Amino acid sequence: MSEKLWGGRFSQDTDELVEKFHASIDVDKRLYESDIEGSIAHLKMLAKESIITRTEAEILIKGLGKVKEKIENNEIKFSASLEDIHMHVEDELGKVAGDVARKLHTGRSRNDQIALDVRIYLKSEIKTIIDLLVDFQKSLVRMAQKYPDVIMPGYTHLQRAQPVLFSHHMMAYYEMFKRDIERFEDCYKRTDVMPLGAAALAGTTFPLNREYTRELLSFSKVSDNSLDSVSDRDFIMEFISHASICMIHFSRLSEELVLWSSSEFAFITIADSFTTGSSIMPQKKNPDVAELVRGKTGRVVGNLMAILTVMKSLPLAYNKDMQEDKEPLFDTVDTLKICTDVYTRMLDNIEVHTQRMYDACKQGFLNATDLADYLVLKGMPFRHAHAVAGRAVAFALNQKKELNDLTLEEFRELSDLIAPDVYEFIAIEKTVARRISHGGTGFQNVKQAVSKAAGELGL
Ligand code: ARG
């Protein structure tokens, strides 16, 4: 006969392979703290509403404290036969507190219990992740402050396009991660909903005081529909989706660091402590950290596909499929945390080769748009100006020159609107300095953006 906590209606033991197959303890044991915290609140509420006595609640709460200690001291052997963390805690409580432990589960189901545990866990992890992302934003801003007026080529299609400030480039990432933080803050609101009391799916016949449980566990609101409470995993899908976008931001930055640290670009050097060598090629110094973050983005996006696919087609309310939500969630939390942390430290260990960046702006006609703008200021319609500047580029290419190297006579062959002031107009610094439209790369603009961000971050 089965001795399982749910074994009453069973006349056969669970097949050993099935036991192993459906156990989730290896994964959900990390929820032990949330599980115990939720149970303590549940007991206090049961006692307040006289569903159990105060003495019973006290014994059980003390017992749960001991169970927690035992878990933390590795004194509990986790086993597949007890399925999950809920069963382990309850079983252990029985050992330390006796039969009264059987009252803990009054008015509760593992379905609302697991929903609660994951929400408690994720609320705290979202806060940690936001803190880590803010730290990372600080290193971006520090980088912008360290190299305030450094000019580099800005790219479109990975072709040199127009000169921009390196600090402007860093601040672009600041904006991207600011949106990530906003998304996590938003997702926090929907995670911060207390589901306990929905029981298995329909609510319970016991006079539970859900509002009191909510207050004890510091949730913002109580969930409103019992079926939704036990079957909602939107907050997990949202979280992993936001995490995927955030990882994609890290991955894009990684790609740039990989390119910039190559001999072809040679824009930056990543410190030895944040790179690794090759076991065969002695000269190699590889940007592995950036590459690995780029690679781990694949894992997180994979986790998003996993959770979306698990949830697709699930009828209300709880289904065992949903047990598969935890591995992608935990892996996403772990991956995002370590990637953010490692990146924060790596940025502080990057040296920028400012001259090399500047020199790269001298080749590739990065000031061609400015030549067109010059002609517009002299009265030529932009489309004509664009065509003249295009002809200037073609001519210069032919002569193996840059636009600045063309003689005034050569320029005037192209348009007699061109005067000697053209040389200053298309000088690299000037092309940057003039871009003062809101959000542009002009020196003053970026300075202001950096000091605003520094203020927001308390730097
Ligand atoms: N281990 C389960 C999960 O993670 C807990 C809920 C189980 N409920 C059930 N009726 N089997 O989803």
Side-chain angles (χ1 to χ4, degrees):
M1 282 287 283
S2 174
E3 282 171 18
K4 298 251 185 287
L5 290 174
W6 41 254
R9 62 99 74 211
F10 287 78
S11 54
Q12 283 183 338
D13 285 342
T14 317
D15 182 280
E16 232 175 88
L17 184 60
V18 170
E19 206 165 75
K20 210 171 137 192
F21 177 64
H22 88 155
S24 58
I25 185 62
D26 283 347
V27 175
D28 61 29
K29 62 184 174 207
R30 79 152 82 180
L31 292 173
Y32 79 92
E33 265 186 301
S34 328
D35 195 71
I36 290 173
E37 192 186 336
S39 289
I40 290 175
H42 185 60
L43 286 167
K44 287 185 181 164
M45 182 278 293
L46 290 178
K48 183 174 159 66
E49 300 307 315
S50 308
I51 301 166
I52 61 171
T53 68
R54 293 223 163 260
T55 323
E56 286 168 337
E58 272 162 30
I59 295 171
L60 292 176
I61 290 169
K62 228 167 119 198
L64 283 171
K66 279 204 194 110
V67 174
K68 188 169 172 218
E69 242 177 73
K70 284 178 101 172
I71 295 179
E72 281 164 359
N73 296 334
N74 281 325
E75 285 167 28
I76 292 182
K77 214 177 145 290
F78 293 110
S79 121
S81 63
L82 279 170
E83 261 181 79
D84 54 27
I85 189 62
H86 322 304
M87 302 285 220
H88 277 82
V89 170
E90 194 178 325
D91 182 73
E92 207 52 40
L93 185 62
K95 288 184 198 152
V96 303
D99 210 38
V100 64
R102 301 297 171 220
K103 294 204 171 186
L104 167 63
H105 214 49
T106 312
R108 187 175 78 167
S109 153
R110 279 186 296 154
N111 297 352
D112 57 348
Q113 192 180 353
I114 188 64
L116 175 70
D117 291 5
V118 177
R119 285 173 185 270
I120 294 176
Y121 158 83
L122 191 55
K123 276 173 65 181
S124 135
E125 293 293 2
I126 291 175
K127 282 189 185 155
T128 308
I129 286 168
I130 291 176
D131 287 347
L132 288 170
L133 288 172
V134 168
D135 283 346
F136 174 63
Q137 282 187 310
K138 287 182 186 167
S139 13
L140 285 167
V141 172
R142 269 200 301 275
M143 197 78 164
Q145 286 171 328
K146 196 164 158 196
Y147 302 100
D149 294 336
V150 172
I151 299 175
M152 67 179 289
Y155 295 82
T156 63
H157 313 268
L158 200 57
Q159 309 289 316
R160 288 179 193 167
Q162 289 172 354
V164 295
L165 289 178
F166 171 75
S167 47
H168 195 49
H169 201 112
M170 288 297 106
M171 292 306 290
Y173 281 97
Y174 170 83
E175 295 292 334
M176 289 150 83
F177 286 95
K178 190 171 168 181
R179 291 195 293 276
D180 288 321
I181 291 172
E182 282 168 13
R183 270 186 283 270
F184 284 123
E185 283 168 350
D186 198 53
C187 158
Y188 184 91
K189 291 183 214 152
R190 281 174 295 282
T191 308
D192 191 18
V193 177
M194 208 291 294
L196 203 68
L201 75 165
T204 166
T205 55
F206 294 100
L208 304 187
N209 183 344
R210 299 189 62 207
E211 181 51 31
Y212 184 58
T213 313
R214 175 201 71 74
E215 200 186 309
L216 290 173
L217 292 170
S218 314
F219 274 87
S220 292
K221 73 184 278 272
V222 163
S223 60
D224 283 330
N225 178 299
S226 63
L227 293 166
D228 181 45
S229 308
V230 294
S231 69
D232 174 23
R233 296 293 182 271
D234 292 1
F235 65 103
I236 300 182
M237 292 189 276
E238 271 185 60
F239 172 80
I240 305 182
S241 162
H242 301 338
S244 298
I245 298 175
C246 185
M247 284 298 295
I248 285 171
H249 292 160
F250 277 122
S251 184
R252 295 181 69 180
L253 180 56
S254 294
E255 176 69 14
E256 305 214 270
L257 298 187
V258 169
L259 286 170
W260 293 353
S261 62
S262 68
S263 341
E264 283 73 10
F265 276 79
F267 283 178
I268 59 169
T269 299
I270 306 173
D272 284 0
S273 50
F274 280 82
T275 49
T276 52
S278 154
S279 53
I280 178 167
M281 297 168 285
Q283 86 282 12
K284 288 300 289 290
K285 179 171 151 173
N286 300 324
D288 295 46
V289 174
E291 291 172 277
L292 202 50
V293 170
R294 193 176 56 186
K296 283 183 188 289
T297 305
R299 273 172 92 106
V300 173
V301 174
N303 290 338
L304 177 61
M305 293 308 119
I307 186 68
L308 292 174
T309 315
V310 165
M311 293 309 293
K312 176 185 168 295
S313 314
L314 288 191
L316 298 185
Y318 179 83
N319 301 270
K320 186 75 166 182
D321 315 44
M322 286 151 80
Q323 179 167 292
E324 287 293 311
D325 62 357
K326 280 164 224 58
E327 278 169 279
L329 175 63
F330 295 164
D331 184 65
T332 299
V333 166
D334 295 345
T335 306
L336 182 56
K337 273 164 56 177
I338 191 148
C339 289
T340 310
D341 209 9
V342 110
Y343 238 107
T344 302
R345 292 202 248 158
M346 182 165 66
L347 271 202
D348 288 334
N349 283 278
I350 288 177
E351 191 196 334
V352 172
H353 303 309
T354 58
Q355 190 60 42
R356 172 87 189 174
M357 280 185 174
Y358 182 78
D359 290 345
C361 295
K362 292 181 186 159
Q363 273 173 7
F365 308 100
L366 283 81
N367 48 6
T369 317
D370 291 80
L371 177 59
D373 290 354
Y374 171 87
L375 290 165
V376 169
L377 287 177
K378 299 270 172 173
M380 191 183 281
F382 180 76
R383 279 293 158 222
H384 296 321
H386 184 281
V388 171
R391 281 199 291 279
V393 168
F395 177 78
L397 264 176
N398 217 318
Q399 305 283 308
K400 298 203 173 15
K401 286 180 175 179
E402 284 294 320
L403 290 180
N404 326 42
D405 306 326
L406 297 184
T407 63
L408 193 59
E409 290 66 44
E410 286 167 335
F411 266 131
R412 290 182 69 86
E413 287 279 303
L414 294 155
S415 164
D416 54 14
L417 290 176
I418 300 180
D421 61 351
V422 72
Y423 294 103
E424 203 194 330
F425 196 91
I426 63 172
I428 295 171
E429 286 77 10
K430 290 286 153 53
T431 68
V432 171
R434 260 196 315 273
R435 286 189 160 66
I436 51 169
S437 58
H438 180 84
T441 193
F443 294 99
Q444 278 314 315
N445 280 15
V446 179
K447 219 165 245 131
Q448 271 167 20
V450 172
S451 63
K452 182 164 173 265
E456 280 169 18
L457 295 169
L459 278 179

